[in-house]
Amino acid sequence: MKIKKPTFVMAAAVILVVLCATTLQRQLGRWNSVEGPGLALNEKTWTAISCRVHLYLQKAQGKIPKLSWSEVWGLSQPGSGLSCAEGRSLEAALQFSSVASAGDRRVGARIFHERCSGCHGNDGSGGSVGPSLARSAYNHGDSDLAIYQVVRDGVPGTAMPRADLSLSEILRVTAYVKTLQAHLPEDQEPSRLVIDVSGERLRTAGNNTDEWLTYSGSYDGWRHTSLAEITPANVARLRARWIKQFDIGQQNIEATPLVVDGIIFIAADAGHVLALNVRTGDVIWQYTRPIPSDGPLGFGPVNRGLAVSGGTLFFGTLDGYLVALNAADGKVIWETSVASPSSGYSITGAPLAVNRLVIVGIAGGEFGIRGFLAAYDASSGQQQWKFYTTPGPGDLGHETWENDAWRTGGGGTWVTGSYDPSTDLLYWGVGNPSPNFLGDVRPGDNLFTNSVIALHASTGKLAWYFQFTPHDEHDWDAAQTPILADLSIKGMVRKVICWANRNGFYYVLDRVTGEFLTGVPFVEIDWASGLTPAGRPILVEAAKVSTAGRRIRPGIGAANWQNPAFDQERGSIFIPATESSSVFSKRSPNEAVREPHGYALGSSWSQVEPPTRLVVALDAATGSRKWQYRESVPGRDYSGLLATRGALVFGASGGSLFALDADSGREVFKQSLGGSTLSPPISFRIDGEQAIAVAAGRALFVFGL
C-alpha cells in the first residue's frame, strides 16, 4: 500500500518525539542520580523538565487527544501555570489561574465583558441565556483545563458557542472566570454595583468634588470644579493615569462622561454606553444598540452624553428613543419613542434629570421638523409634558409665523439646558428655523427659534422667552449651554443667565423675568450696529442675504455647542469662541424643494477665511474682555471648557489638551493626544487625588499629577 507523504511525515515526527522524549527522560534520571558538584540538577528544575517531557510523551502516545500539539507546547511554557507532581494528571497540573497576574485578569475581564456578558451577565451572575458563573461548581468541571476547553469548544446543543480566541486569551478568560467563582456557596449572590443618585445629590452636584453627575457638572451649567490640587505651578507634571481605547468605528467621541461612585459612565458613540472602573478604565459592563444607517444624520452619528437619577442612566438614541438603563449592569429598564426619524428627528444631546423627570431635546433643525422639548417620568418612561418651539394656532408666538411654515419650522433643542431648583425653572436653547438660510419662505420673527425658553420644570408651561436673532438667515441658533449665576448688576445682586450667542453678542438676562440687562459683542461683528434697550439687534444693510451674496462677520457662528465655563470667584466667563467671516447667498424661494430629511435650500454660505479659534475671558456681569487665548491649531475639532478653583481653564483643540492660567490666559500646559478633540474635559477625584479626563478620537484619557 502506498503511504501518502503527509501521513508518512506525521508518523515519522511522532516516532521521533517518542524516542527523544523517552531517551531524555531516562537520561534525566541518570543525571539526577549522579552526586557531585556541578552534576546534580536543582530539584525544581528537574521536576519542571521531567513534567514537560512526560507531557510531550503522553501527547505522542495519543493520551491527550483533546489538545493539539501547539496547545500542548503552549501550555508547557513558563508562565502557563503548569505545576507537576508525581502521578498528577494534566487537569490537576494546569494551574494558570493561581499564577495569573492582575494584568492577566484585567485582560480576561475585558474579553469576558466584550464576548461573554451578553449571555452570562456583566457580573457573571447569569442572564436570560447563560447560567451564573458566580457559583462553586460548574456543570462541565471547575478545573482550569475544563474551563479552558469549554471556552475553546463551546457546549454543543446549547447557546454556548466556540470562542475564536488565542490560547493566551482563553487562559486569561479562565483566570477571570475563576475569580467570579470565588468559592461562593450556591445561595450567595456576587457583589453588584450599587448606584443611587438622589435628587438632593443632583441639586448639590457642584459641591461634590469626587464626582461629575450631570452634563455640565451641575444644574447651573458652570462646568467648574472646586478642586484646587492642580495649579499653574504644577500642571506641567500632569501624566496619563490610564487610556481606554474604544472599538467604535470611525466616529469620534463628543460625549461628556459622568463619574458616579467610582464608576465612569460614557456614551462612546451613538449606540454604545459603557461603565468603566475609575481607577483602571476596565470595562464593567456595556450596552450596545444598532445605529440606523438611513436616519436624518446631518452631522454624523453622534451622542453627547447621559443623565443619571437614582440607579438609572438615561440615553437618547439616533432613532428617536429615550432609553433607561440599569446603572448596575447596563440592562434596559424601559425605552420610549420620543420622535420618529422618518419625520426628520433624532436625539444627539444628553438628557437632564430633574426631580422625578427626565427632560430630553431633539435634533433635526435642518430637516423641516417641528421642534419641541419633552419630559418623561423617570420610573416609567411615560410622557409628562411637551412644549413646541414653533407655536401652533392659538399659542403665544404663533403670530410670528406669517404663513404655515411653523409646521416644519425647525427649532431643534439639541443641546442640554440648565435648571434652577429655587424657582423650578428650566432654561433651554432653541435652534435655527428651517430652512435655515432661506427666510423668504417663512416670513416673521419665527418664535421660538434662536431663543432661550424658560419653562416651569414640573409642568412645561412657558415662564418667559428671549429671542437673540429674530428671523435668522445665518444659522445662528441658540445651541449653547445656559450659565446661571448671581451677579452684581449696577450695584444690585441679580439672579441672571449668561449667554455667549452664536450671533457674536454676549447677553446677560434676568433669569426670573427674562429682562434684558446687558449685550455686547465678544468677537468682531458687522451685521448689527448694536442692540435696542430690549435687546433686539439693530440690523445694517449687510445683514440682508442677497442673491449676489454678502460677506458677514461673524461667519457661520461665533460660538457653537461647545460649552463655556464660569468661575464665580473671579467673576469670569470663559468662552470657546471663533473669529470668522462667511459669504451668505440665496436664490428664489421656488428653488427650495422639500426632500426627505431636509431641504434643497437654494441658499448657502461659504467660509471666506480660515476660522480663528479663541478662548475669550469676559467679566460675566459686564461682558468686558479680560484676556483672550488664540489656539495654535485652527480646525473644527475643538472642545468646551472646564474651569477649576486651582486657577486653571482646561480645553482641547487640534488634538491636544491645554491648560490656561485663569487670571492671565497664559498657556501653562499642552499635551498632544493624537485624536480629534470634541469632548470637553471634566474633573473629579480618584482615591482622594484630582484627575482630569478628556476624550480624543476614540479614546478616553485620564490624567493626574
Side-chain angles (χ1 to χ4, degrees), residues 543-582:
K544 299 177 182 178
V545 179
S546 69
T547 55
R550 287 190 173 95
R551 176 173 169 168
I552 295 292
R553 287 185 179 276
I556 198 62
N560 205 338
W561 62 270
Q562 287 85 353
N563 317 78
F566 175 68
D567 186 328
Q568 186 179 42
E569 184 177 336
R570 289 169 174 78
S572 297
I573 184 169
F574 307 104
I575 304 164
T578 301
E579 290 275 12
S580 67
S581 65
S582 298

Side-chain angles (χ1 to χ4, degrees), residues 100-113 172 175-176 244 277 279-283:
S101 67
D104 291 326
R105 293 188 177 89
R106 281 198 297 270
V107 172
R110 174 181 58 78
I111 297 171
F112 180 90
H113 288 299
R172 285 161 173 78
Y176 175 69
K244 176 64 180 179
N277 184 304
R279 295 182 180 87
T280 64
D282 290 342
V283 175

Side-chain angles (χ1 to χ4, degrees), residues 2 61 119 138 150 187 219 266 333 352 383 408 489 599 688:
K2 185 177 181 180
Q61 294 171 345
C119 292
Y138 296 153
V150 168
D187 59 348
Y219 279 148
I266 185 171
I333 299 173
L352 187 66
Q383 187 182 104
T408 55
I489 308 291
Y599 280 92

Side-chain angles (χ1 to χ4, degrees), residues 99-166:
V99 301
S101 67
D104 291 326
R105 293 188 177 89
R106 281 198 297 270
V107 172
R110 174 181 58 78
I111 297 171
F112 180 90
H113 288 299
E114 291 174 354
R115 304 285 295 273
C116 313
S117 60
C119 292
H120 292 286
N122 291 291
D123 56 3
S125 61
S128 58
V129 178
S132 171
L133 300 177
R135 52 200 176 100
S136 57
Y138 296 153
N139 295 339
H140 300 279
D142 309 306
S143 68
D144 281 22
L145 183 61
I147 296 171
Y148 173 91
Q149 289 175 330
V150 168
V151 174
R152 181 195 65 184
D153 300 333
V155 180
T158 73
M160 177 71 184
R162 179 180 183 277
D164 184 19
L165 298 171
S166 68

Side-chain angles (χ1 to χ4, degrees), residues 506-560:
Y506 170 73
Y507 298 82
V508 180
L509 312 174
D510 186 296
R511 73 172 184 267
V512 179
T513 65
E515 178 188 356
F516 170 73
L517 301 175
T518 300
V520 295
F522 65 95
V523 296
E524 184 179 348
I525 69 169
D526 61 9
W527 67 279
S529 59
L531 302 173
T532 70
R536 189 179 180 92
I538 304 169
L539 302 181
V540 300
E541 185 65 24
K544 299 177 182 178
V545 179
S546 69
T547 55
R550 287 190 173 95
R551 176 173 169 168
I552 295 292
R553 287 185 179 276
I556 198 62
N560 205 338

Side-chain angles (χ1 to χ4, degrees), residues 53-253:
V53 169
H54 179 66
L55 180 65
Y56 303 148
L57 188 59
Q58 282 188 308
K59 175 61 182 173
Q61 294 171 345
K63 295 180 180 179
I64 311 178
K66 292 185 178 181
L67 295 178
S68 67
W69 270 107
S70 63
E71 287 178 301
V72 170
W73 176 257
L75 293 175
S76 69
Q77 297 306 298
S80 68
L82 197 68
S83 176
C84 292
E86 186 175 352
R88 200 176 216 184
S89 66
L90 174 61
E91 187 163 31
L94 183 61
Q95 296 290 326
F96 178 76
S97 62
S98 64
V99 301
S101 67
D104 291 326
R105 293 188 177 89
R106 281 198 297 270
V107 172
R110 174 181 58 78
I111 297 171
F112 180 90
H113 288 299
E114 291 174 354
R115 304 285 295 273
C116 313
S117 60
C119 292
H120 292 286
N122 291 291
D123 56 3
S125 61
S128 58
V129 178
S132 171
L133 300 177
R135 52 200 176 100
S136 57
Y138 296 153
N139 295 339
H140 300 279
D142 309 306
S143 68
D144 281 22
L145 183 61
I147 296 171
Y148 173 91
Q149 289 175 330
V150 168
V151 174
R152 181 195 65 184
D153 300 333
V155 180
T158 73
M160 177 71 184
R162 179 180 183 277
D164 184 19
L165 298 171
S166 68
L167 182 145
S168 63
E169 288 174 324
I170 298 177
L171 285 177
R172 285 161 173 78
V173 171
T174 299
Y176 175 69
V177 169
K178 294 289 282 187
T179 67
L180 294 177
Q181 191 180 35
H183 310 295
L184 290 174
E186 289 288 349
D187 59 348
Q188 184 175 336
E189 287 292 323
S191 60
R192 296 174 179 268
L193 294 183
V194 179
I195 304 295
D196 187 11
V197 179
S198 66
E200 178 61 24
R201 197 163 152 193
L202 285 172
R203 285 189 289 273
T204 60
N207 300 325
N208 188 341
T209 55
D210 288 347
E211 302 178 309
W212 192 273
L213 295 181
T214 74
Y215 174 71
S216 296
S218 53
Y219 279 148
D220 50 29
W222 286 10
R223 292 239 167 207
H224 178 274
T225 177
S226 57
L227 290 172
E229 177 185 348
I230 303 172
T231 68
N234 64 21
V235 67
R237 290 168 40 208
L238 277 185
R239 298 292 184 271
R241 294 179 62 120
W242 54 261
I243 303 168
K244 176 64 180 179
Q245 184 83 28
F246 301 101
D247 183 12
I248 55 174
Q250 298 302 309
Q251 294 305 310
N252 296 306
I253 299 172

Side-chain angles (χ1 to χ4, degrees), residues 24 48 59 77 95 119 140 216 219 251 321 331 340 449 476 568 581 608 644 654 657 671 698-699:
L24 181 57
K59 175 61 182 173
Q77 297 306 298
Q95 296 290 326
C119 292
H140 300 279
S216 296
Y219 279 148
Q251 294 305 310
Y321 280 82
K331 295 178 180 177
S340 172
T449 65
W476 290 335
Q568 186 179 42
S581 65
V608 176
T644 80
L657 174 68
Q671 174 66 56
R698 295 177 289 281

